[in-house]
Every structure is written in C-alpha cells, then in structure tokens.
Amino acid sequence: MPEEEGKVLSGNEVSKEIRESLKRRVADLHKKLPNFRPGLAIVQVGGREDSNVYIRMKMKAATEIGIAAEHIQFPKTITETELLAKIEHLNMDSKYHGIIVQMPLDSVNKIDSHLITDSVSPDKDVDGLNTVNEGKIAVGDLSGFLPCTPSGVLELIKKTGTLISGKEVVVLGRSRIVGTPAAELLKWNNGTVTVCHSKTQNLKDITARADILVVAIGQPEMVKGDWVKKGAVVIDCGINAVPDATKKVGQKLVGDVDFEECKKVASFITPVPGGVGPMTVAMLMANTVQSSEAFAELLMKTHWPMTFLPLKYQSPIPSDIDISRAHEHKNISILTHEVGLLAGEVSLYGHKKAKISLNVLDRMKEHDVGKYVVVAGITPTPLGEGKSTTLIGLAQALMAHKTRNTIATMRQPSQGPTFGIKGGAAGGGYSQVIPMEDFNLHLTGDIHAVTAANNLLAAQLDARIFHEATQADQALYDRLVPTSHGVRKFSAIQQRRLDRLGIEKTDPNTLTVEEIAKFARLNIDPTKVVWQRVMDINDRYLRKITIGQSPTEKNFTRTESFSISVASEIMAILALATSLEDMKQRFAKMVVAYSRTGVPITADDLGMTGALMVLMKDAIEPTMMQTLEGTPVLIHAGPFANIAHGCNSILADKIALKLVGKDGFVVTEAGFGSDIGMEKFFNIKCRASGIKPDAVVLVATVRALKMHGGGPAVVPGLPLKDEYTQENLQLVEQGLCNLVKHIDNGKKFGLPVVVSINVHKDDTAAEHEIIKKAAMEAGAYACVVSNHWAEGGKGAVDLADALIDACNQPSDFKFLYDLDLTIEEKINKIAKEMYGAGTVDFAAKVREAMRLYAEKGYSKLPICMAKTAASLTGDPNIKGAPTGFRIFVNDIFLSAGAGFIVPMIGEISRMPGLPTRPAIFDIDLCTETGEILGLF
C-alpha cells in the first residue's frame, strides 16, 4: 500500500473564504453608513513590472470585496523628502483607511525604505511594517495591524485544525517582513518557537523536530524531505524563479521547500504558487477592512470618552488669571481625539490650541446634529452680566457633570477691549476658557488676517482712484492687461468683470475704444468711498484723518476714517460664510464705493476677490480650546456686536453640531441683550445658516435689575454703590420690567426661554425669589439660580437640567420678519416688537439710501440694527422697559457681502478710544518666567 502523502493546503481556497467574509463585513458597514466605503491607497515609486503584477492583484481583490483602492504612482525622480510629504498627505486624508507602499522603491534617488514604511501612520499601516506595529507584536499586543504574510501563515495553520499551543515550532528565516514577525505571532499563540537563520548550526536536526515548520529563507527547494518531521505542518513562504526548459518562459516558480519530497512526510503542506501568496493579499484586505471598521466605529460613536479636569477651588476666589494658571490643561491633541476629530482635520498651534478643518463637515455630512442653544442677556450694566461666564459654566455642567456631548462656541475677542477697559472675554471665575492669555490675545491670528485683507482692499481702492485720475483710457487698459512673454490675456477675475459688463470677448486685443473705457475705468467718486481701513486697537485719533498728503499722490487727498478690525465687513463675512466658496462669493459682492453715476463698485471690480481669499484661507477654520474642566470650546470670528451681528461663526456652530451628535448640545452666545444680539442671531445668522435653534438661555443679574429699577449709575473702575451691595427688594421689583421684556422677545421667536440668574456675592435669596417668580409669570420655561462663577460646572447643574428639559419640548421657531417686506417695514418691525418703540423716523438721506438700495436689488436683505446696547431705546441713559418712544434712524449703510443692511440709531462709534486709565497700565511681561502679568 503506497504511503499517504500530506494534504495540500491551498492558499487560494482559504483566501477565497476570507475574501467572502470581508465582502459581507463591508456590506454590513454600508448598511450602517450608506455613503461610507473602505479606502486603500497603494503607493508605487517607478514602474517595475513585477510590482505592477502585485498591484493589479491587490486592486482586483479590493474591488471584489468593495474596497475603494487607488493606485498612486510617483515617478522615479521623486526624492525622499517629496515622498515623505506625499505619504503625510495620505495619512491626513480621511478617505484612505489603509496605506501600503509597494516595495522595492524604483527610484533614481537614494530613499530609505525603512523610513518610508515608518512614515505611514500606524493607524493606516495595513502592511503592518511600521515600527510601532512591529513593536506591538514583539510585546504581545496584537491590537495593531499584523504583517500580512505572517498573519496569512497563522490563518493557514489554524485551517489545518492543528493546535499551536504547546507545539514545537521552527521558523526558518528571520527577515523583518516574514520570519521575525511570524515567530512572534506563533510565540504569542503559545507555540514553543525556535528561529533558525544562516548562522544556525545543525539546521536539519532542528527542523526535523518541528511539529510546525515555517520556511522563509529565500533559497529554492532548500528544505528536503528528511528535514521534516513525520506529520508536521509545513508552510512554505518562499517564491523563487528557477530555470525550466519545459516552460515557455524558460523558468518556473518554486518555494524554499522541495514540495515533492516534503509532501510525502508532512501532514499538511502549502504549494508554491497558490499557498502563502494569495493569503498575503487576503490579509492585506482584512487589515484594510479592520481599519475601516475602526474608522466607521468612530463615526458612529455617540458618546465621547472624555477625561475631565478637576477644579482647584480656593477661598477667597482669586483673580481670573490666577485661577487659569492654577489649572493644567489637557494637550489639545488629546481633546481633539476625544471629540472624534481625525489627525488630518486638526492643525496644532502648539499644545494649547488647534485649527479645525472644514473637511469635518464633508466627512460627517450624513450625521445627525445636536441641540442648538443661544445664550443672550437682559439689558446690561457697563460691567456686563456674565453671558460668556454663563456660557462656559453651562457647557461645563452639560459635559462634565451631565455627560452630554457639549461644545461651547464663542467669538474671538478684540484686542481693543482687552487693552482698553472691558478686559477679556474668556468667561471668569471657575467658568472660563484656558489658557486665557492665548484666548484674549492673538489666538491663531484670525483678526490679523482680517486686518490685512481689509487694508489690502483699501490700498487697492485708493490706488485705483489715483491711477484712473492720472492715466488716459488706453494707457490704463494697457497696464491692466499687459503683454507678458508675448502673450496678452485677461485674468479670470477680469473676465468676470467683462461678463458683468456684457462684453463677450476673451481676446484683449479685440476690444473697441468704448469697450476699453468701460472695462478699465471704474470712475470711482472719492466722496462716495464707503470702505474704511481698520486696526485691532482702540485709537480715537484714527476716527477721522486725511490721506494722500505725500507729494507723490499729486494732491489726490481725501478724508478717511478707521474702524476697529472687528467692525470690518470681512469679519462679518467670516462669521456668516457657510463654506470657502460662499466666503468667496460674499467677498466678491462687497460694495466698497460708488461711481460718479451711482453704480456700486465691488471688491470683484477691483480684482481683489482672489487675493482676499488667499489671506483668509486659514482664518476660515475655527480654533479649538478647552474650559477649566477640560471640555471643548470652538472660538471663531468676532464681528462687532453694534455695527454687525455680534455672533461667532456659522462654520464653528455647524462643525460643533455634527461633532456632538443628535443627543449633544452646542451652546453659543449672542452679543449684548436680546434686543440687539439675540434678534440678529435669529434673523441674520440662523437665516444664513439654515440651523434651527432649540432654546434661549437668558442671563439676568440682581445688579442689572437694580439699575433698571432706578439704581445709581454703574461706572467701570469705580466701586459699586450701596444699593448694589446690600439687599434692596424695591429696586429689584422696579427693574423686573426689563427682564419681562427680554423674556417676551425670546418667546416671539417661538422658543422656550430659560432664565439664568447669574449669582454675584452680594445677592440675597429674597432677591433671587422675586426674580424667579416674575420670570415664571412672564412665561419663562424655567428660572434657575446659577453659581457657575464660584463653582464651575457644578454650580450650573440645575441650569443644565432645566435646559435639557426645555430642549425636549416642541418648539415653533420662526423669524421675526419676512425678507419680502420693504427695508422700512423691517426696521419698524424690529424697533416696535424688540425695543417697544412707538414710532420710527428716518433722516432724509436714509430715505434716499433705502430707495437706492431697493433700486439696486438689495431690499430683500435682512436688517442689522446699530443701536446702543445700554438701553432698549436709542438713548443709553433710559433704563427699564419703556414703550411708545421714538426711534430716529440717522444713517444707514450696506454690507452687501455680509448680506445685511445697517440702519444707525444714534452715534455708534466704529473705533473705540482708550480711557484715561486703560488696562495697559497693569499689563507687563515677566522676563524671567515669560508670564504675562496684570492682564486681568
């Protein structure tokens, strides 16, 4: 009877089973996330044909399974530095869940292949060749990606039914790619492993003892039948080309094992080809699916695994900056990971803050959004009533104490108030953003970008006026459209101007004399320039200046006014843009001046749109920081709350709403009281974003209500009068009318209003009770005493509970007015319903401007009222909640790019001035420690 031969262990059959299983797993992923598909990047340098064969095999296998594989081929001339940069781009791209670099690298330049494989992110290293993944295997951590060939070897052994545990295993070969990791895998599967190599003595004796023999030595048919133990499992990882005259190609493929001899001894043996080879590809696909499943799990995660920072309470409560410095922050990269952001979506600015890419919105476009809450206030004292502090305290309570995914979104503060009198805007006490120095100073430079963009546009505007005044039509045209290297053509932005003018030509040499004049001459009226230069400091002497006094400007002088940077229309656009393209379209439409015939002159007419985009391309990304308790905050944009709409950016809110998920909360802030900030938040910001809010948190203080009840003036820098530091129920009672009006304002938009009484140390329980009773009688959903300044999130837990309940109620959000109303009708609607006015009068120049805006097609824009925040009326000295008063609109201007019209009620300065004693006197830098002193 002939001796029974070993069973051939077909890698083709096992790999087919694995691929079918992977196909089902990918289909399951697609059911959970319909628009999700695993992605694999196969990187090749050069074009070796043997590499091409392997790449085609991988591409075919990926396609069959449902993996989107992309072959990314670079030329032989690529340098090591360039290749590393390309791989880093792939690491950051969320559509790729696996990256492999096909070896060998076919380059004319010297490239360290080990450095290249190590440059692939361990999270995407589906080849398992990164040192991090190799190191994990060495210490028995099999949670990373296992190298494909050794992993395939393990699967084949398991397929035989052979128990590895306790068996004597010999691995012949110690290469980094196969031998060494195979030995480690078998060791951690409890095999007793011996690794043999070229220096091993008595090799045949050792292999003959093996129950399992894995051969990866690179020598054709080296292992003979007498090297193999009877009944052993033999896995041949080798593939070698040897001469064979019987083959058309003159050679055949064989392994490192003499198959014909060894199959007579082994119980199982892998063939070559058709053994380990197909398994390598299958395990590569398995790693890619594993990676994509981990990524999908991240996408579907509904609760953040967040670590919170304990508060270090002190008594008496120290200054804000001392509290900030007493608390260590988390590394911002940890926080961004906790909230589900990917590495490629985060640009780190040190370890305290990070820019967040707008790509998050594309990646998460199918995700549900959370609850959207705006924090507003009653009419404040000059000291402010703590909206920012309430915002942060509430966010800390929701996230750190109620474990609801929560992000606070805030404006970036201007340096004007920081160095002036108001101070910073990071919150206060134990409810603030840290580190507060970073928050209140340069942050990530967005305001500086706004300043540069604004002033570049101003420079181009004045330069164009000068050049048109000093050149004839033809000379002006020739300079605008010069011949360069023998070619003359219009730039893209010039072609857009031609299209607007109805000149259907693309060759600059074909324009007629009339067309040249029409194209080249904007004919700007210097007395009708509406674009102002800006600076991010308070400087009263820039409120009115004369420019152009140098002899080189040939007496073309004009009067100019500076604004503070946050009053720039570019800042308002940054806050209202919904995408890069939307920002570009808004920049293009900005009206900077009018021609002598009354035609609006836009930034696009001046050729500025592209340049503005380049300056603002990074500023459009919001910045992430954290609260004292380690919860996330997104800071972005800071439009002036008087002259613009006073809210943080739409993009920050949209990113936050996606990140928190359907059970989470995004808590944001509107500038000043409900009459100014909240009204604009709803009618301008929510209209532009399309986001429906869920509730209003209205901040009130005993101090402000006493002021509205007839208390003495509250003056920054001076001690509060006794009326504010001692219980006075009568003053509180008399001032409640202001609170009631603001509650009514919130209810007009169809939303539940939760009143938060922001506790100050001199308040009494009796004063709080009066406020609570009045708020509930006025229709507030809830009224809660909140002590977040002194206690952080713990002090705002009751407020968080009330807000959660309020957001679970049905809401009927609606805008205050329809855009189809006339400009005058919309102004009347706001003045009468939000302020309580009886009549609205308009200056003659305002009526003429409204007529012009309607004629030019701007009448359907929303209204952004510029009014004092110190009173419901136009007079800052009138407190309480008067009715039937007169509002006078003395001026009006257009922000066509931002998309609103600004009526002016009273004198609203766009450039604040420094007081007699600004905060500057207290601010210093310790040269020994580098600490900022006296900021707050």
Side-chain angles (χ1 to χ4, degrees):
M1 182 176 179
E3 189 173 340
E4 185 178 347
E5 294 185 345
K7 185 175 181 181
V8 176
L9 189 55
S10 172
N12 287 323
E13 292 178 6
V14 178
S15 67
K16 183 179 179 182
E17 293 175 11
I18 292 171
R19 291 197 304 270
E20 288 298 322
S21 172
L22 295 175
K23 192 184 296 185
R24 290 191 293 272
R25 285 163 62 183
V26 170
D28 288 341
L29 274 180
H30 185 69
K31 288 177 185 176
K32 296 173 185 175
L33 296 169
N35 294 312
F36 179 81
R37 193 177 180 193
L40 173 66
I42 304 173
V43 176
Q44 181 185 20
V45 174
R48 286 175 53 133
E49 185 51 36
D50 55 349
S51 292
N52 291 337
V53 170
Y54 290 124
I55 290 170
R56 285 194 289 269
M57 288 170 53
K58 294 167 185 174
M59 294 284 289
K60 183 175 182 292
T63 302
E64 290 175 354
I65 292 167
I67 297 170
E70 185 174 349
H71 179 195
I72 301 171
Q73 191 170 16
F74 297 116
K76 288 184 176 185
T77 54
I78 195 169
T79 64
E80 183 177 86
T81 302
E82 290 171 333
L83 182 56
L84 288 169
K86 297 292 186 183
I87 292 173
E88 184 58 22
H89 284 304
L90 297 175
N91 285 335
M92 296 297 183
D93 195 329
S94 62
K95 75 178 179 181
Y96 300 115
H97 311 114
I99 302 169
I100 63 170
V101 181
Q102 186 66 42
M103 295 294 175
L105 300 172
D106 182 21
S107 175
V108 297
N109 299 305
K110 184 179 179 181
I111 298 179
D112 183 342
S113 60
H114 185 68
L115 179 65
I116 297 303
T117 53
D118 260 7
S119 72
V120 176
S121 169
D123 294 332
K124 296 188 177 185
D125 171 38
V126 290
D127 254 342
L129 299 179
N130 184 289
T131 302
V132 171
N133 286 322
E134 289 181 328
K136 283 184 174 182
I137 296 174
V139 296
D141 180 356
L142 306 184
S143 63
F145 293 116
L146 306 180
C148 299
T149 300
S151 183
V153 167
L154 191 65
E155 287 299 315
L156 285 170
I157 295 170
K158 290 179 178 178
K159 195 67 179 176
T160 67
T162 301
L163 188 66
I164 299 172
S165 181
K167 294 292 193 301
E168 187 156 351
V169 181
V170 172
V171 177
L172 188 52
R174 58 178 175 180
S175 72
R176 176 185 167 222
I177 294 176
V178 181
T180 297
E184 297 292 347
L185 278 178
L186 290 161
K187 177 180 73 176
W188 295 117
N189 276 271
N190 301 314
T192 303
V193 181
T194 302
V195 179
C196 298
H197 44 78
S198 59
K199 306 299 183 186
T200 301
Q201 302 294 316
N202 305 315
L203 186 59
K204 177 180 174 182
D205 295 338
I206 296 171
T207 61
R209 296 198 304 265
D211 300 308
I212 300 170
L213 178 61
V214 178
V215 185
I217 201 69
Q219 296 293 325
E221 300 183 323
M222 177 178 175
V223 175
K224 302 299 181 181
D226 58 353
W227 288 37
V228 178
K229 178 181 179 180
K230 180 68 175 176
V233 174
V234 178
I235 308 294
D236 187 354
C237 301
I239 184 163
N240 311 278
V242 297
D244 186 343
T246 67
K247 304 291 184 182
K248 282 186 178 180
V249 293
Q251 60 182 22
K252 66 177 180 179
L253 296 178
V254 297
D256 294 349
V257 172
D258 188 324
F259 181 79
E260 293 302 326
E261 284 192 19
C262 292
K263 75 176 181 179
K264 296 173 182 175
V265 184
S267 60
F268 291 91
I269 187 169
T270 57
V272 176
V276 172
M279 293 299 296
T280 300
V281 176
M283 301 319 293
L284 170 65
M285 298 301 125
N287 281 348
T288 304
V289 172
Q290 175 189 328
S291 177
S292 64
E293 286 172 333
F295 184 81
E297 185 178 341
L298 181 67
L299 292 180
M300 294 183 289
K301 189 175 290 183
T302 57
H303 187 71
W304 296 336
M306 185 164 291
T307 55
F308 304 113
L309 306 178
L311 293 177
K312 301 174 183 178
Y313 297 107
Q314 297 181 54
S315 182
I317 296 174
S319 69
D320 291 348
I321 196 163
D322 286 337
I323 292 173
S324 176
R325 286 181 178 159
H327 291 77
E328 289 293 329
H329 61 272
K330 286 185 284 191
N331 190 303
I332 195 65
S333 64
I334 295 174
L335 180 60
T336 58
H337 179 73
E338 287 175 336
V339 301
L341 289 163
L342 307 179
E345 296 165 345
V346 177
S347 298
L348 299 176
Y349 280 63
H351 56 278
K352 303 172 185 177
K353 51 190 181 283
K355 281 279 195 180
I356 308 304
S357 169
L358 304 190
N359 291 338
V360 177
L361 294 173
D362 290 330
R363 172 172 68 85
M364 304 187 76
K365 61 185 175 183
E366 301 300 327
H367 283 227
D368 293 330
V369 298
K371 301 294 185 183
Y372 191 39
V373 179
V374 62
V375 177
I378 64 172
T379 305
T381 69
L383 302 178
E385 306 320 303
K387 289 195 314 300
S388 298
T389 306
T390 301
L391 169 70
I392 298 303
L394 176 57
Q396 290 179 160
L398 286 165
M399 182 76 252
H401 299 269
K402 303 302 295 184
T403 62
R404 300 293 188 102
N405 292 355
T406 303
I407 296 178
T409 60
M410 303 180 72
R411 286 180 292 170
Q412 178 184 352
S414 165
Q415 290 180 163
T418 298
F419 289 100
I421 197 166
K422 180 178 181 292
Y430 289 97
S431 294
Q432 58 173 297
V433 182
I434 57 171
M436 65 181 310
E437 301 97 319
D438 292 62
F439 180 90
N440 286 303
L441 295 174
H442 304 287
L443 198 61
T444 48
D446 293 353
I447 294 182
H448 303 320
V450 169
T451 304
N454 184 100
N455 293 344
L456 181 62
L457 178 53
Q460 167 69 338
L461 171 61
D462 282 308
R464 186 60 174 265
I465 293 172
F466 173 82
H467 291 307
E468 287 192 21
T470 56
Q471 296 179 56
D473 291 350
Q474 188 64 50
L476 182 65
Y477 180 68
D478 289 344
R479 287 180 171 87
L480 285 170
V481 194
T483 300
S484 178
H485 303 292
V487 177
R488 191 182 196 192
K489 63 179 182 179
F490 295 114
S491 68
I493 200 165
Q494 288 177 325
Q495 194 65 56
R496 288 205 299 271
R497 174 163 168 75
L498 287 169
D499 294 340
R500 286 195 298 275
L501 293 171
I503 301 173
E504 298 178 357
K505 293 181 179 179
T506 57
D507 184 351
N509 297 310
T510 61
L511 267 65
T512 66
V513 173
E514 292 78 12
E515 289 170 338
I516 286 172
K518 191 176 180 182
F519 168 80
R521 198 162 293 281
L522 297 175
N523 201 24
I524 299 165
D525 186 343
T527 67
K528 293 180 180 177
V529 170
V530 296
W531 194 258
Q532 298 179 330
R533 288 168 170 82
V534 299
M535 289 183 68
D536 192 37
I537 57 171
N538 293 355
D539 191 343
R540 66 177 66 246
Y541 274 84
L542 293 179
R543 289 172 178 169
K544 198 165 192 179
I545 61 172
T546 302
I547 62 171
Q549 292 190 337
S550 168
T552 57
E553 284 17 276
K554 302 180 181 180
N555 293 320
F556 290 108
T557 62
R558 68 176 181 85
T559 301
E560 166 73 293
S561 296
F562 267 76
S563 295
I564 196 163
S565 295
V566 290
S568 170
E569 186 176 354
I570 290 176
M571 177 62 86
I573 288 173
L574 178 64
L576 289 170
T578 56
S579 65
L580 267 172
E581 181 59 29
D582 182 49
M583 185 167 77
K584 186 174 186 177
Q585 294 304 319
R586 288 174 179 270
F587 283 166
K589 291 187 288 188
M590 290 189 301
V591 173
V592 297
Y594 293 88
S595 74
R596 297 181 191 277
T597 58
V599 176
I601 306 300
T602 67
D604 217 51
D605 290 325
L606 286 167
M608 279 296 300
T609 306
L612 295 175
M613 289 297 294
V614 169
L615 286 171
M616 294 294 294
K617 71 178 181 67
D618 294 326
I620 198 172
E621 296 181 339
T623 300
M624 182 167 282
M625 293 183 73
Q626 64 193 278
T627 68
L628 282 168
E629 297 189 53
T631 68
V633 183
L634 280 177
I635 304 110
H636 199 210
F640 218 31
N642 278 347
I643 213 73
H645 64 296
C647 304
N648 73 288
S649 78
I650 287 172
L651 285 167
D653 290 355
K654 285 197 166 195
I655 289 172
L657 284 163
K658 289 293 185 181
L659 288 172
V660 299
K662 67 176 182 177
D663 296 322
F665 287 81
V666 172
V667 190
T668 190
E669 181 183 2
F672 298 129
S674 73
D675 56 319
I676 298 290
M678 187 191 75
E679 180 271 315
K680 295 174 183 177
F681 174 85
F682 290 140
N683 287 317
I684 297 175
K685 182 178 179 181
C686 290
R687 202 186 295 269
S689 69
I691 306 171
K692 179 182 174 183
D694 293 282
V696 176
V697 172
L698 185 67
V699 180
T701 61
V702 170
R703 178 180 66 195
L705 291 174
K706 285 180 176 179
M707 179 191 73
H708 288 295
V714 176
V715 182
L718 296 181
L720 289 170
K721 298 291 178 64
D722 290 346
E723 288 87 343
Y724 297 106
T725 59
Q726 298 173 9
E727 182 175 272
N728 192 319
L729 301 181
Q730 182 181 358
L731 282 181
V732 174
E733 189 86 47
Q734 291 170 183
L736 288 171
C737 58
N738 189 268
L739 171 64
V740 170
K741 174 57 180 167
H742 287 286
I743 292 172
D744 185 61
N745 282 355
K747 290 170 61 183
K748 277 186 168 68
F749 293 91
L751 296 176
V753 178
V754 177
V755 176
S756 171
I757 302 173
N758 183 23
V759 174
H760 288 164
K761 64 182 179 64
D762 296 318
D763 296 357
T764 69
E767 290 170 332
H768 290 163
E769 283 304 314
I770 290 176
I771 298 170
K772 288 167 72 174
K773 183 174 182 293
M776 297 308 292
E777 289 176 353
Y781 181 81
C783 183
V784 181
V785 176
S786 189
N787 198 20
H788 43 272
W789 181 81
E791 298 181 350
K794 182 176 68 174
V797 168
D798 289 346
L799 177 59
D801 285 333
L803 178 64
I804 292 169
D805 287 344
C807 288
N808 286 331
Q809 306 304 310
S811 66
D812 183 28
F813 175 70
K814 54 184 176 292
F815 298 118
L816 183 68
Y817 54 80
D818 193 297
L819 292 181
D820 287 332
L821 295 177
T822 66
I823 298 172
E824 182 175 344
E825 287 170 335
K826 284 180 279 199
I827 293 171
N828 268 283
K829 187 92 170 170
I830 295 169
K832 292 178 179 179
E833 296 205 26
M834 289 287 104
Y835 313 156
T839 59
V840 181
D841 294 329
F842 299 86
K845 67 176 182 179
V846 173
R847 289 200 174 277
E848 173 57 23
M850 289 192 297
R851 183 198 64 77
L852 179 65
Y853 296 158
E855 179 185 297
K856 300 299 182 183
Y858 297 116
S859 65
K860 293 187 184 299
L861 293 178
I863 301 300
C864 186
M865 300 284 270
K867 178 186 79 69
T868 178
S871 172
L872 286 165
T873 75
D875 183 348
N877 297 310
I878 298 176
K879 305 303 179 183
T883 58
F885 52 87
R886 173 179 175 264
I887 286 286
F888 181 65
V889 182
N890 58 292
D891 204 353
I892 194 167
F893 67 87
L894 171 69
S895 290
F900 50 67
I901 292 169
V902 185
M904 304 286 287
I905 299 168
E907 292 301 317
I908 305 294
S909 175
R910 299 174 66 166
M911 172 54 82
L914 290 172
T916 305
R917 195 200 184 285
I920 290 167
F921 282 96
D922 301 310
I923 297 171
D924 199 359
L925 182 75
C926 177
T927 55
E928 293 180 0
T929 65
E931 283 190 339
I932 296 171
L933 307 175
L935 192 57
F936 301 95

